[in-house]
Amino acid sequence: MAWFRKDKKPKVQPEERTSQIPEGLWIKCDGCREIIYRKEVVRRNWICPKCGFHFSIGARQRLESLLDDGAYDEFGQHLAATDPLKFKDKKAYRDRLVDYRAKTGMNDAVITASGTIEGIPVVAAVMEYEFMGGSMGSVVGEKITRAAELALAERRPLFVISTSGGARMQEGALSLMQMAKISAALARLHEARIPFLSILADPTTGGVTASYAMLGDVIIAEPGALIGFAGPRVIEQTIRQKLPEGFQRSEFLLEHGMLDLVVPRGEMRDTVARVLRLLWIPAAEVPAAGLASTSLA
Amino acid sequence: MLSPAPGDPPVTDESFEKPILELEQKIEELAGLGNPALESEIASLREKLDAVRREVYSQLDPWQKTQVARHPRRPYTLDFVGGLLEDWIELHGDRRFSDDHAIVAGMGRFRGRPVAVVGHQKGRATREKIQRNFGMPRPEGYRKALRVMQMAEKFGRPILTFIDTPGAYPGIDAEERGQAEAIAFNLREMARLRVPVICTVTGEGGSGGALAIGVGNRVNMLEYSVYSVISPEGCASILWRDAAKAPEMAQALRLTAPDLKDLDVIDEIIPEPAGAAHSDPQGTIDAVGQVLERQLGELATLSADELLEDRYQRFRRIGKFTELHA
């Protein structure tokens, strides 16, 4: 395959760069190992034209591809983690935060925003895997809680796109408690009959799966995403055997009744809009007596 | 998971108990002689034992506390039930798949008041450990817990939970049946229970598997229990790829009761008798009973809406962050 070898810098300047995507004119697909034309992948929103593999993409890119005109009003972007535990392993948490801020241009691992999808007003929270593995600490917990509270106050549907290794160890039990905090806010959305859509991207594990990610009225996953409570390594260590092929992938979860839909990235916006139109009761249409005349089981 | 997986070599160091065990042994030997002339010596040794216990236990580091929290003679949920409840009836099964023995649930009378109890249950002998799956619930355990809690709500009964688990079971079957969903659903539904909920961490508060029965109006910890997002061993193996770093991570994770009180994660620390819960289970059960009785009294004055708001705000406040303007 010498023909494909890259000796010189590509003449074509790569478009806006997403950090874990290799640069160059040609890239190798992590799914089928085929060499594919980069431009073609970009054009398809980072999906392999040969096998449909979904490359990991950034939170901003996801927001832009889902919301009308790629426009959104971000809020909570100034919230930033402190280091309440003074946590240090090989590197101090404080220093890690500085590095990830520089690397991603974000203060923490989620973007919260409001916008519209095909004219439907929504509140969105989109996680960024590149910021410390999308881990959930106090800031992610606070921002998603605020997003849910805003959705409640304005009767806008909420959707969250998760991609996360789980709760952030460096904030200890404070991270763990965010699971309860967010879930309690989602309980209020549930009672107010405001739709909550949970979208899962590769990977979604641990405390994120075991809280808001699994609480959607409708739960949608991208194809081939790793989704689970315990990570495969922990399970293999516990049961001391290899896991079957495809275990904990989107299609496996769909088969086991844990998801509503597996939807390719290119159809996500359309699917979300259709679901929301079928579920959402706009504030103007809420009867004066409220929706609570029949109790929620 | 808060403990190493079953089968992993235990990383334990209970050498801090050595002076206590030596004294205990000496007292036992002397008492065994049955000589009345030794009574006063035995009495002074008992006093010394008490002092040594206090001394040793006042200086435990977080890793040592983790060992104490896992001590097999600590009271487990059914011990608290036996010591605190009358008319206990254990209820079984999630009505969907099976009955998980790693979680017990039931109803009984606490100081005259009908209550529901839900708690993790570990085993002591090998056979019972296996039957209880080392206190690691599967999804059906969490679903049973919620079923009983919602039944308690239906009949207006307060709920007491006892938390003591290494974590939710990380196995293929548990994943297939939706371990994550079971935990998540409990978190949301516990936030909606219109009756008082009091949670007490009695041993290991192992991450999501603990929190799944831990959303209460009050969250207590026994003095030498621990509560953490991950076990020190798990944390060490992820961040250092070296389980030997566990003691260091136990320190870093701030998982002890005083740490979590400082971080506003818990409401109250329940002091344990000298030498910790395993040296005086009955004293520990009584101490827990007193706190629960007082807290139930406080919560009894709140309406259902006030209870919901109280529980919401209790968790809403948790978290530390700042604003950073570039």
Side-chain angles (χ1 to χ4, degrees):
Chain A
M1 302 285 274
W3 186 76
F4 285 114
R5 205 180 298 133
K6 187 175 70 183
D7 302 312
K8 295 178 274 189
K9 275 202 149 191
K11 285 178 199 131
V12 185
Q13 274 302 310
E15 287 102 303
E16 212 191 301
R17 184 181 160 210
T18 313
S19 38
Q20 69 266 60
I21 311 283
E23 282 178 81
L25 195 53
W26 300 90
I27 57 177
K28 191 171 175 183
C29 173
D30 290 339
C32 60
R33 305 265 140 217
E34 291 274 333
I35 305 294
I36 45 181
Y37 190 40
R38 191 177 186 282
K39 263 193 150 173
E40 182 68 11
V41 180
V42 174
R43 199 179 61 76
R44 290 167 183 256
N45 214 345
W46 289 100
I47 297 170
C48 172
K50 297 246 166 68
C51 73
F53 174 80
H54 283 53
F55 286 85
S56 179
I57 63 172
R60 289 203 187 277
Q61 211 177 334
R62 289 187 189 280
L63 264 174
E64 282 161 18
S65 69
L66 283 174
L67 296 180
D68 293 344
D69 306 322
Y72 54 90
D73 286 326
E74 192 173 349
F75 60 90
Q77 63 269 42
H78 302 300
L79 290 188
T82 58
D83 178 17
L85 271 52
K86 310 242 177 307
F87 194 99
K88 190 169 180 296
D89 51 280
K90 282 178 182 159
K91 195 164 161 183
Y93 177 40
R94 191 169 287 272
D95 296 336
R96 280 190 202 273
L97 287 170
V98 171
D99 291 354
Y100 282 109
R101 281 175 196 142
K103 180 180 171 192
T104 61
M106 292 169 60
N107 275 332
D108 214 297
V110 70
I111 298 176
T112 45
S114 52
T116 59
I117 292 184
E118 296 194 5
I120 305 163
V122 294
V123 179
V126 183
M127 303 194 73
E128 174 56 68
Y129 194 77
E130 287 297 293
F131 195 105
M132 264 186 113
S135 57
M136 169 183 57
S138 297
V139 172
V140 170
E142 180 68 20
K143 287 176 81 170
I144 297 180
T145 303
R146 287 186 189 183
E149 288 174 339
L150 179 68
L152 180 67
E154 300 189 347
R155 288 206 71 85
R156 286 164 170 251
L158 172 71
F159 74 87
V160 178
I161 304 182
S162 298
T163 165
S164 171
R168 189 174 293 170
M169 287 179 284
Q170 288 83 350
E171 291 185 30
L174 290 173
S175 301
L176 181 66
M177 295 299 141
Q178 303 309 311
M179 294 166 63
K181 176 165 128 183
I182 297 168
S183 301
L186 293 174
R188 293 193 161 184
L189 273 194
H190 173 69
E191 298 203 340
R193 293 165 163 84
I194 295 168
F196 166 45
L197 259 59
S198 175
I199 300 170
L200 315 181
D202 183 57
T204 300
T205 59
V208 167
T209 322
S211 59
Y212 52 92
M214 277 292 153
L215 289 176
D217 290 302
V218 175
I219 306 177
I220 305 173
E222 286 192 344
L226 177 77
I227 301 161
F229 173 64
R233 208 162 61 104
V234 174
I235 300 174
E236 282 183 343
Q237 274 171 7
T238 307
I239 62 171
R240 303 194 180 279
Q241 44 181 304
K242 282 298 255 183
L243 292 171
E245 180 77 22
F247 179 67
Q248 290 184 313
R249 295 288 163 184
S250 304
E251 298 72 16
F252 175 92
L253 270 85
L254 183 71
E255 196 59 37
H256 282 82
M258 296 301 151
L259 304 175
D260 289 286
L261 297 160
V262 175
V263 174
R265 196 174 284 160
E267 296 164 27
M268 194 63 84
R269 177 177 147 86
D270 181 53
T271 306
V272 168
R274 282 172 57 206
V275 170
L276 289 183
R277 259 197 294 275
L278 291 168
L279 296 181
W280 180 53
I281 310 163
E285 290 171 28
V286 176
L291 294 162
S293 47
T294 55
S295 72
L296 271 191
Chain B
M1 287 218 312
L2 201 59
S3 280
D8 274 357
V11 193
T12 51
D13 173 20
E14 284 158 9
S15 55
F16 61 88
E17 281 228 298
K18 209 174 155 204
I20 296 170
L21 296 175
E22 280 173 0
L23 269 174
E24 280 177 345
Q25 202 181 355
K26 203 166 167 192
I27 292 170
E28 209 171 298
E29 277 169 19
L30 290 180
L33 297 174
N35 185 346
L38 291 171
E39 288 293 320
S40 71
E41 191 181 337
I42 292 173
S44 80
L45 277 176
R46 282 192 203 281
E47 265 172 47
K48 192 178 169 196
L49 173 63
D50 213 41
V52 169
R53 269 189 180 142
R54 281 178 204 285
E55 165 86 14
V56 166
Y57 275 84
S58 66
Q59 294 170 0
L60 295 185
D61 65 32
W63 179 240
Q64 290 169 326
K65 285 187 183 176
T66 306
Q67 310 308 319
V68 175
R70 294 171 181 169
H71 200 292
R73 289 204 309 274
R74 276 181 90 78
Y76 295 152
T77 297
L78 287 176
D79 301 312
F80 286 101
V81 163
L84 296 175
L85 265 71
E86 286 158 12
D87 267 355
W88 166 252
I89 298 178
E90 188 176 338
L91 302 170
H92 293 277
D94 67 343
R95 301 289 191 273
R96 281 163 173 74
F97 183 74
S98 78
D99 185 37
D100 188 340
H101 301 292
I103 284 193
V104 293
M107 307 284 298
R109 213 172 279 279
F110 172 65
R111 315 262 152 119
R113 195 194 306 249
V115 297
V117 168
V118 165
H120 301 100
Q121 183 66 33
K122 293 178 176 173
R124 292 202 172 89
T126 305
R127 181 194 290 258
E128 199 203 351
K129 279 184 184 164
I130 292 166
Q131 186 217 358
R132 301 288 182 188
N133 198 31
F134 304 86
M136 296 186 287
R138 292 181 165 86
E140 45 274 21
Y142 295 113
R143 290 173 182 143
K144 169 172 72 175
L146 184 63
R147 180 178 74 83
V148 171
M149 289 191 282
Q150 288 179 332
M151 187 180 71
E153 178 195 38
K154 176 174 163 185
F155 296 103
R157 305 308 187 202
I159 297 161
L160 308 175
T161 79
F162 295 94
I163 295 168
D164 185 12
T165 178
Y169 182 62
I172 291 185
D173 58 337
E175 292 287 324
E176 283 175 340
R177 294 196 294 277
Q179 187 72 285
E181 190 275 345
I183 295 170
F185 195 65
N186 276 23
L187 298 181
R188 191 183 84 183
E189 294 304 306
M190 281 190 85
R192 303 177 61 210
L193 294 167
R194 300 179 66 80
V195 291
V197 182
I198 302 176
C199 309
T200 306
V201 183
T202 60
E204 294 180 276
S207 196
L211 186 64
I213 58 167
V215 183
N217 296 89
R218 298 284 186 277
V219 179
N220 306 308
M221 280 177 81
L222 271 173
E223 186 177 0
Y224 299 111
S225 66
V226 294
Y227 199 178
S228 178
V229 66
I230 189 169
S231 69
E233 290 92 338
C235 186
S237 88
I238 292 172
L239 293 178
W240 294 92
R241 307 224 166 254
D242 178 8
K245 290 280 185 186
E248 206 176 300
M249 291 298 101
Q251 177 85 40
L253 283 163
R254 304 269 309 268
L255 42 64
T256 70
D259 284 329
L260 295 171
K261 181 84 177 73
D262 284 347
L263 290 166
D264 301 318
V265 167
I266 61 160
D267 300 292
E268 194 163 334
I269 300 171
I270 304 175
E272 296 185 24
H278 60 270
S279 43
D280 183 4
Q282 190 54 51
T284 308
I285 292 167
D286 292 342
V288 169
Q290 277 182 27
V291 172
L292 294 179
E293 184 178 12
R294 170 169 48 76
Q295 292 179 336
L296 274 180
E298 290 161 10
L299 294 172
T301 64
L302 300 184
S303 70
D305 285 342
E306 286 169 335
L307 283 169
L308 291 184
E309 183 63 16
D310 171 80
R311 205 177 306 135
Y312 189 82
Q313 295 304 336
R314 194 206 166 278
F315 285 90
R316 184 67 187 84
R317 285 190 289 271
I318 301 179
K320 308 278 180 204
F321 47 84
T322 183
E323 295 236 335
L324 206 67
H325 292 267

